């Protein structure tokens, strides 16, 4: 070859006859397009494809079930939060509803007291108001502890003093200074009481 012959780049050179260089991608496509040797038979391939489709459908079904369950759980959580908030906010609603007649009765008593006072009617009104209040408290599980004449119980009573007397058995409540109260059988205030004790015998 002379030095004046034009040079050709490798990409423009004509293919050399007899060369065995083949692009690997074209070979793979050719095998796929022509359906040459496969590791499984056609029937097995179709069976595997069906199983894959069924597995994908099952996975999609489970995913939708999961999304539905998750949304339902989220709704339940939000609903429970609202109910707890409302329970805290309106827990005393019924109790105050029961107290409203007591409030009305007290207002009527005050209005009557501003006119000519009738002691008998005023007492009657106070007693009525007290009964209304007691009934409202009992509806919510509150009841009074009035141990007059009973044996002293340190679990529900608080002794304010001991009174020597022969009119009652020793360790008996002879006076209730302040009533106690239970709420659903739980002590919320002990009764303050005076308890009898034996009269000291004179010396000699």
């Amino acid at each position: 070859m002379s030095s004046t012959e034009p040079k050709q780049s490798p990409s423009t050179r004509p293919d050399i006859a007899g060369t065995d260089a083949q692009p690997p991608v074209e070979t793979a496509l050719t095998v796929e397009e022509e359906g040459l040797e496969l590791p499984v038979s056609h029937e097995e391939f179709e069976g595997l494809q069906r199983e894959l489709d069924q597995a994908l459908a099952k996975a999609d079904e489970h995913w939708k079930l999961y999304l539905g369950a998750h949304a339902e759980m989220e709704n339940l959580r939000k609903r429970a939060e609202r109910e707890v908030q409302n329970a805290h906010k309106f827990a005393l609603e019924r109790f105050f509803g029961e107290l409203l007649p007591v409030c009305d009765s007290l207002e009527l008593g005050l209005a009557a007291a501003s006119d000519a006072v009738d002691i008998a009617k005023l007492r009657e009104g106070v007693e009525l108001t007290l009964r209304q209040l007691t009934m409202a408290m009992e509806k919510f599980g509150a009841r009074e502890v009035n141990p007059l004449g009973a044996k002293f119980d340190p679990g529900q009573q608080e002794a304010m003093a001991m009174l020597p007397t022969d009119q009652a058995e020793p360790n008996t409540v002879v006076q209730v200074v302040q009533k106690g109260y239970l709420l659903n059988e739980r002590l919320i205030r002990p009764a303050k009481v005076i308890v009898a004790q034996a009269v000291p015998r004179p010396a000699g």
Side-chain angles (χ1 to χ4, degrees):
M1 180 180 300
S2 68
S3 61
T4 59
E5 183 178 356
K7 296 182 178 179
Q8 295 179 331
S9 64
S11 61
T12 58
R13 288 179 179 174
D15 291 339
I16 301 173
T19 181
D20 56 356
Q22 298 293 333
V25 176
E26 290 184 3
T27 302
L29 289 175
T30 300
V31 171
E32 184 178 346
E33 290 173 353
E34 294 179 356
L36 297 179
E37 294 182 4
L38 295 174
V40 294
S41 66
H42 184 68
E43 289 77 12
E44 290 174 330
F45 177 79
E46 289 184 342
L48 291 172
Q49 186 64 50
R50 284 195 298 274
E51 291 180 359
L52 177 62
D53 292 341
Q54 291 173 356
L56 290 174
K58 204 69 176 178
D60 185 62
E61 179 184 354
H62 289 167
W63 176 248
K64 291 177 180 176
L65 289 174
Y66 164 76
L67 292 179
H70 183 270
E72 185 175 355
M73 289 298 296
E74 188 66 15
N75 290 336
L76 286 174
R77 185 185 64 79
K78 291 179 179 177
R79 188 188 310 164
E81 286 181 354
R82 286 197 299 270
E83 290 177 353
V84 170
Q85 290 174 355
N86 288 337
H88 285 296
K89 191 181 299 183
F90 302 111
L92 299 178
E93 181 180 10
R94 287 184 56 220
F95 180 67
F96 281 110
E98 295 292 336
L99 289 183
L100 291 179
V102 179
C103 184
D104 295 339
S105 182
L106 288 173
E107 289 177 347
L108 289 174
L110 285 175
S114 62
D115 302 329
V117 178
D118 185 332
I119 299 300
K121 288 188 177 180
L122 183 60
R123 180 180 180 84
E124 182 182 354
V126 172
E127 290 176 346
L128 174 63
T129 302
L130 182 59
R131 283 199 298 272
Q132 288 177 328
L133 180 59
T134 301
M135 290 172 60
M137 293 172 61
E138 288 176 349
K139 284 185 178 178
F140 289 88
R143 66 180 178 87
E144 67 178 28
V145 176
N146 186 7
L148 182 63
K151 285 291 184 181
F152 175 68
D153 180 0
Q156 293 189 350
Q157 301 151 21
E158 178 182 347
M160 304 298 294
M162 302 298 291
L163 178 66
T165 179
D166 56 0
Q167 301 298 312
E169 292 290 330
N171 207 35
T172 299
V173 175
V174 293
Q175 183 179 349
V176 178
V177 179
Q178 185 181 65
K179 294 178 182 176
Y181 284 91
L182 297 170
L183 178 60
N184 295 323
E185 304 309 316
R186 176 186 290 182
L187 185 68
I188 57 176
R189 191 181 77 179
K192 296 181 178 179
V193 299
I194 295 177
V195 183
Q197 69 176 164
V199 177
R201 294 181 179 178

